[in-house]
Amino acid sequence: MTSLWRRFFTWKFHFYELLLPALRGLGPARFDAIVCALGTASTYVRPGRRARLRAAVAAADAALDLDADLNGRRRLDWTGLAANAARFTARDYALDLPDDREVLGRFDVEGYDAFREEQTRGKGVLLVGSHLGAHIAGMHWLFRNDLPIRALVQRPKHVSTILERKFDATDEPYPQRDFFLRKDLTPAVAVERTLQARSALRDGMIVYLNGDIVWEGSNTRNCRLLGRDHQFLAIWTELAALTRSPVYFVFCTHRPGGRFALEFQRFGQTRSGEQARALDAYLSQLEAQVAAAPAEAVAYLTWPCYTTGTPTPTPPKKKIPGAHHRLASAVARRVGKGSGIAGSIIAGSIMA
């Protein structure tokens, strides 16, 4: 059986390659309404789906006291979460259109002028994103604006053809495809990615990372999100301290009618020793975003990495074998002698 034929029998083929492209021709408002309706309708054909969503709503209520708004109505119910789960799954397919002005005009953007002014002064900027709401649509906006941006993340799957082309472009410095992360990166490539990010920041570029990655191993910090303790990957805080680049938080959420809200929040610089404060500040802002629009928190309320398990101590760091130690030492000399932050990044990259 060919690969194409196997794909034909999966729901992803029909959803991403047939349904969403057809809905896109109906315009943003109808696209959004139909996707939301499909999200709600799907709960009636997926056993246990409504029960899981109700449990997620109860967990959000307990963590953030979301029982009611000022008018006495519930601020979150399972139908809202179901609708946004479908929006979340649709990624940025609604934006896969040739007219830049039309697509970018669907975003209500706040805080961008200050962000852009700081970046155009030649300073590299760390942009810390998340998995809240329409995060892929937000990434689409960033790349479609042709900003000098590189994303130090795992490559997103099932995104628009336009975003795929941006990811695969090779005619610019620091090609994006050389920044993507994978869990199976070799030690040498992991170090190379870290050094590339540092060099890009020093050359005045924007480096985008997600700050809400639950991780095990090196370069993590224990923090609380929505009432649960997790180990969060803290590489972005180490890069911020190492390069002294200004940090901005960015959040993208859905609005009615196929529109989006994109918000840039300036955090400022982070010095060595302030990494924990930076991560705490980021997670506090993320939790505030969830409290303001809890239906956008599909990942945090339904993904097992955020909703299951009990707090466990961080596994002890393994001793770096001889060959890896020599590699780390060589890279540390390139980054700069005596830099504990650089050594932390390198060790974390090698051990990850």
Side-chain angles (χ1 to χ4, degrees), residues 5 23 31 50 58 66 87-88 92 102 117 131 133 138 175 177 181 193 210 214 233 250 257 292 312 336-337 342 345:
W5 188 245
L23 293 180
F31 181 103
R50 276 171 287 169
L66 301 177
R87 281 169 154 176
F88 192 90
D92 66 329
E102 177 187 351
E117 181 181 354
H131 289 88
R177 66 183 185 183
L181 303 177
R193 295 288 193 270
N210 285 321
V214 177
L233 190 64
V250 61
T312 56
K337 291 184 178 181
I345 295 174

Side-chain angles (χ1 to χ4, degrees), residues 250-273:
V250 61
F251 302 103
C252 189
T253 53
H254 299 93
R255 284 190 170 173
R259 298 187 61 80
F260 304 91
L262 184 65
E263 181 181 359
F264 295 83
Q265 297 181 1
R266 190 182 193 280
F267 174 69
Q269 292 182 330
T270 298
R271 291 180 170 83
S272 179

Side-chain angles (χ1 to χ4, degrees), residues 117-253:
E117 181 181 354
E118 188 155 29
Q119 193 276 323
T120 53
R121 290 202 297 263
K123 294 183 178 180
V125 178
L126 271 167
L127 196 56
V128 186
S130 68
H131 289 88
L132 180 74
H135 65 107
I136 296 296
M139 186 177 289
H140 186 112
W141 188 94
L142 291 166
F143 276 84
R144 191 146 185 175
N145 264 291
D146 291 326
L147 298 173
I149 185 170
R150 297 296 178 265
L152 195 65
V153 299
Q154 292 191 63
R155 182 166 184 155
K157 297 180 180 179
H158 306 295
V159 298
S160 65
T161 55
I162 289 177
L163 194 53
E164 290 281 12
R165 287 200 296 269
K166 297 286 186 182
F167 288 164
D168 290 330
T170 58
D171 57 348
E172 296 177 337
Y174 303 104
Q176 173 58 54
R177 66 183 185 183
D178 294 337
F179 271 73
F180 285 122
L181 303 177
R182 300 190 314 274
K183 289 187 177 181
D184 61 347
L185 288 180
T186 64
V189 175
V191 171
E192 180 185 342
R193 295 288 193 270
T194 304
L195 290 175
Q196 280 188 139
R198 172 181 172 274
S199 296
L201 286 168
R202 293 199 167 184
D203 285 346
M205 298 189 70
I206 304 163
V207 174
Y208 176 99
L209 304 93
N210 285 321
D212 58 353
I213 305 297
V214 177
W215 200 256
E216 293 182 359
S218 301
N219 277 314
T220 60
R221 295 183 184 273
N222 188 67
C223 295
R224 174 159 290 208
L225 178 65
L226 301 181
R228 292 178 180 272
D229 290 327
H230 303 286
Q231 293 291 125
F232 287 96
L233 190 64
I235 288 291
W236 71 266
T237 66
E238 305 291 351
L239 271 174
L242 172 66
T243 64
R244 300 294 298 277
S245 300
V247 175
Y248 279 77
F249 304 149
V250 61
F251 302 103
C252 189
T253 53

Side-chain angles (χ1 to χ4, degrees), residues 276-296:
R277 180 184 68 88
L279 185 56
D280 285 342
Y282 165 78
L283 292 172
S284 294
Q285 285 299 320
L286 177 57
E287 203 163 78
Q289 293 280 329
V290 173
E296 297 288 329

